[in-house]
Amino acid sequence: MSKAAMLADVAKYVGHAIIECEAAIKAIAKRNHYSVNVMDPDFNTSPIMSDGSRLNVRTNRDGEVISFSVG
């Protein structure tokens, strides 16, 4: 699966609570040989280092998924 296809696959979780969909997101990432980095808006607003094999999951203060990126 391409990066774009994987991002399209996880896009259905935008707006959902991360605690409800984290396992499903990790399973999609794992199938595609990606690790997962959940980014909390108060603590880690961006990844420390760029990593082309990491799926970044951005959440809001309520713990809802707001976006995904690779890097």
Side-chain angles (χ1 to χ4, degrees), residues 1-69:
M1 178 181 292
S2 71
K3 177 176 76 171
M6 181 184 64
L7 289 171
D9 198 16
V10 295
K12 62 188 166 203
Y13 297 109
V14 170
H16 292 260
I18 188 64
I19 60 171
E20 295 173 358
C21 58
E22 182 178 14
I25 293 167
K26 285 183 175 181
I28 293 168
K30 184 176 181 178
R31 270 197 314 269
N32 292 281
H33 309 288
Y34 283 78
S35 62
V36 175
N37 175 38
V38 177
M39 299 165 58
D40 181 282
D42 292 326
F43 297 104
N44 58 338
T45 57
S46 64
I48 295 170
M49 299 174 70
S50 180
D51 180 350
S53 64
R54 179 177 55 218
L55 175 65
N56 295 307
V57 184
R58 287 179 182 76
T59 61
N60 64 17
R61 286 184 171 82
D62 295 325
E64 296 173 343
V65 176
I66 56 172
S67 67
F68 296 94
S69 65

